[in-house]
Amino acid sequence: MTDIDVIIVGAGPAGLTLAAELSLAGVRPLVLEKHLEPRDVPKASGIAGRILDVLHYRGILDRFEAASSDPHVATRFPFGGTHVDFTQLADPPMRAVPLPQMEIERLLGERARELGAEIRRGHEVVGVGQDDATVTAQVRGPDGPYQLTARYLVGCDGGRSRIRDLAGIGFPGTTYPEVNRVAQVSVGDSVTVHDNGDIDIPGLGRLPFGFNRTDRGMFAFAPNPGGLFLQTVEDETADYDDDEPLTLTELAHSVRRVLGVDLPMSDPKRLSRFTFKDRQAERYRDGRILLAGDAAHLLPATGTALNVGMLDSVNLAWKLAAHIQGWAPAGLLDTYHDERHFAGARARLQTRAQVALRRGHDEAADSLREVFQELLSDEPALRRVGALVGGTDIRYPMPGEHALTGVFAADLALHTDQGTTSVAELMHAGRPVFLDLADRPELREIGREWAHRIDIRTADTDARPADALLIRPDGHIAWAATIGEPADTAAPMLREALSHWFGSATAA
């Protein structure tokens, strides 16, 4: 026996999300982070896409919005040298909450600790081994080496994952010879910022807002209060460590190489450097060792990885808890790889498309970007691309023919005898929910056989999408009854779905 259910290696967003979700499910996680202090190297600058809905369904999105400088900012995202502009849509398919990654990790760490997770900093996993029942981790801590044993171990330790290497999991893909340097800086009085966002730089002249290409790379910028948010992109073959801080001097040299002139800069609020890799682990599970976040996938564009990695953890947590608590049906944990490898491949699809748009430097490439930007002026195309970037179009492949099976449950307003509630409020506890929307007592009776494992609710809704829904803890619909579906077809399909996802009705 062991006092630890799951060892989580890495206290980044994926690891901390996993720790919180496991704790919510009644499992004992331990997070091991090799760095003594939270890293202050700027990486992600916000959270966006489907993970915002998940945070809302857990009742904690308001924490992130309260910490953001502008949680309701009109969303305009870069996409391969073009822009996906949702500012004219009242209901954009992708939203964002601007927030530095350090603040995101602080809030996720607070949540995990509130739910009982332990986080140890300065503890590095240097070796792992496993048998049929446990995983053993060799750890180097501040007081010397020691050993831990747990039921499972999850590597959330980034793109250079030691856990992935120790488990012998392949990580095929491409590393692009491209270096991106990103900063938020003040600029001197000699730089004129125009009302439309253009700028005048001494010795160069006027540059239009957005992406500007030269023979030596790309310079992109957007004015913000007190200065500019800017980015340079250059083709380089050097192998940079993205955790090593960018300096203002290095950034200035890059700007000069790209533009051919100096840009007066000072008072940096953000300095970061990143390279682009397109890689995905061959498998997300090796026995009792699993991968999540950047350890499982690296995406060659910004604005997606944090969302995808945190969603890995939400998908994995309830399935791990089911195995640890002894009620998991056969094959449940394997669906983690099936579903999240599929989602990772979708994320790679759109980020690789961005590579093709971004890296072309001739007139044909300029024309391609111009045509693509024109297509995004059409609302259906804009919504489709937004859903792809935000991961809101994911429909997991799973048993069931209903159009809602596998999709994320919409946040329906629900009217009950006790008052008005919503799907989001029902999901705060992270438990499966059987939702009867058409007063189907014969279906509720089947659900009661699993009442020790699922929550059963009856409600009306203004626009009923189905007679009943079975919603997994991660918010995805595992089964749905078509409106008016006869009991002789709906009932056996419900029973089959309950058994498939939540095990035997008689198991404790």
Side-chain angles (χ1 to χ4, degrees):
M1 294 294 291
T2 173
D3 291 332
I4 304 167
D5 290 323
V6 181
I7 296 170
I8 301 170
V9 183
L16 295 172
T17 298
L18 181 59
E21 288 286 302
L22 287 171
S23 299
L24 188 65
V27 165
R28 302 161 298 174
L30 169 65
V31 181
L32 300 177
E33 168 56 54
K34 66 180 181 180
H35 296 283
L36 276 169
E37 300 293 337
R39 288 166 291 173
D40 60 358
V41 176
K43 289 189 173 182
S45 55
I47 44 178
R50 177 61 78 199
I51 193 60
L52 293 179
D53 299 313
V54 174
L55 295 173
H56 175 53
Y57 280 27
R58 291 295 184 260
I60 58 172
L61 179 58
D62 57 341
R63 301 186 188 189
F64 295 84
E65 292 178 334
S68 173
S69 59
D70 190 357
H72 304 292
V73 63
T75 47
R76 192 167 186 260
F77 297 96
F79 190 95
T82 66
H83 279 98
V84 183
D85 188 350
F86 302 130
T87 55
Q88 303 306 311
L89 299 181
D91 58 335
M94 180 178 175
R95 298 177 296 117
V97 174
L99 204 60
Q101 182 162 330
M102 276 190 65
E103 191 69 3
I104 296 170
E105 292 179 1
R106 181 185 68 80
L107 292 168
L108 291 173
E110 286 180 359
R111 165 75 167 174
R113 289 188 181 94
E114 286 171 8
L115 294 170
E118 181 184 355
I119 302 170
R120 296 181 189 173
R121 292 194 172 274
H123 295 254
E124 182 178 10
V125 176
V126 296
V128 294
Q130 61 174 316
D131 56 30
D132 291 341
T134 61
V135 178
T136 300
Q138 305 297 329
V139 185
R140 186 164 54 220
D143 298 324
Y146 64 98
Q147 179 175 293
L148 289 172
T149 302
R151 300 281 299 278
Y152 291 91
L153 182 146
V154 184
C156 301
D157 53 337
R160 299 173 183 255
S161 170
R162 174 173 282 175
I163 299 304
R164 185 185 61 236
D165 291 344
L166 290 170
I169 298 175
F171 200 44
T174 302
T175 298
Y176 293 97
E178 179 179 320
V179 178
N180 294 254
R181 295 174 175 90
V182 178
Q184 183 177 343
V185 296
S186 298
V187 292
D189 293 338
S190 61
V191 177
T192 302
V193 180
H194 296 275
D195 290 342
N196 68 348
D198 294 356
I199 60 173
D200 271 303
I201 299 177
L204 181 65
R206 188 160 180 157
L207 283 181
F209 163 85
F211 297 93
N212 294 269
R213 296 177 182 277
T214 74
D215 293 337
R216 300 164 298 279
M218 185 182 73
F219 177 80
F221 70 93
N224 60 35
L228 295 179
F229 182 87
L230 63 86
Q231 176 182 0
T232 64
V233 181
E234 299 179 85
D235 278 0
E236 297 183 42
T237 57
D239 183 19
Y240 288 94
D241 183 350
D242 292 346
D243 287 335
E244 183 178 334
L246 172 69
T247 65
L248 192 61
T249 298
E250 181 185 336
L251 174 66
H253 288 164
S254 178
V255 171
R256 181 171 183 81
R257 287 193 299 269
V258 172
L259 293 181
V261 298
D262 290 320
L263 176 67
M265 296 179 291
S266 62
D267 191 25
K269 300 293 192 301
R270 175 186 178 179
L271 288 169
S272 59
R273 179 204 316 100
F274 53 90
T275 53
F276 277 134
K277 299 177 178 65
D278 169 30
R279 297 185 180 277
Q280 189 170 25
E282 292 176 337
R283 59 192 188 278
Y284 286 11
R285 179 188 180 194
D286 181 76
R288 292 181 174 271
I289 300 173
L290 300 105
L291 304 175
D294 287 354
H297 40 71
L298 289 173
L299 306 173
T302 58
T304 301
L306 199 73
N307 179 41
V308 177
M310 292 172 69
L311 290 173
D312 289 345
S313 296
V314 175
N315 184 287
L316 174 59
W318 71 273
K319 298 172 182 179
L320 263 184
H323 275 266
I324 289 166
Q325 293 162 352
W327 58 262
L332 178 64
L333 194 53
D334 289 329
T335 68
Y336 168 65
H337 168 88
D338 297 338
E339 294 177 356
R340 293 310 298 168
H341 200 276
F342 164 76
R346 290 287 292 172
R348 291 179 73 195
L349 175 69
Q350 60 92 1
T351 52
R352 283 186 289 189
Q354 293 193 52
V355 171
L357 283 170
R358 183 180 72 234
R359 287 187 56 77
H361 297 295
D362 58 10
E363 291 183 355
D366 290 338
S367 297
L368 175 63
R369 285 185 287 269
E370 185 174 347
V371 168
F372 186 82
Q373 193 71 73
E374 286 187 13
L375 290 174
L376 291 183
S377 66
D378 295 334
E379 185 172 330
L382 179 63
R383 289 189 177 278
R384 188 175 188 120
V385 170
L388 180 59
V389 174
T392 56
D393 67 340
I394 292 294
R395 181 186 181 188
Y396 290 140
M398 62 175 64
E401 297 181 357
H402 196 284
L404 292 177
T405 303
V407 307
F408 192 81
D411 188 17
L412 304 173
L414 304 174
H415 312 292
T416 73
D417 293 341
Q418 291 75 41
T420 300
T421 183
S422 66
V423 168
E425 290 186 12
L426 298 184
M427 300 302 298
H428 284 188
R431 283 173 53 83
V433 172
F434 173 71
L435 182 57
D436 179 4
L437 296 171
D439 194 14
R440 300 284 298 263
E442 78 282 10
L443 299 181
R444 294 199 303 274
E445 189 63 29
I446 294 172
R448 288 191 188 98
E449 298 177 33
W450 279 264
H452 56 299
R453 199 158 295 141
I454 68 173
D455 293 337
I456 301 171
R457 298 287 186 268
T458 302
D460 294 324
T461 190
D462 296 333
R464 177 159 51 101
D467 272 3
L469 299 172
L470 179 62
I471 307 173
R472 305 189 318 187
D474 60 359
H476 283 262
I477 296 172
W479 169 88
T482 302
I483 293 175
E485 184 176 353
D488 61 353
T489 60
M493 293 300 291
L494 172 59
R495 187 180 297 278
E496 182 177 335
L498 285 163
S499 298
H500 178 83
W501 292 109
F502 308 118
S504 169
T506 59

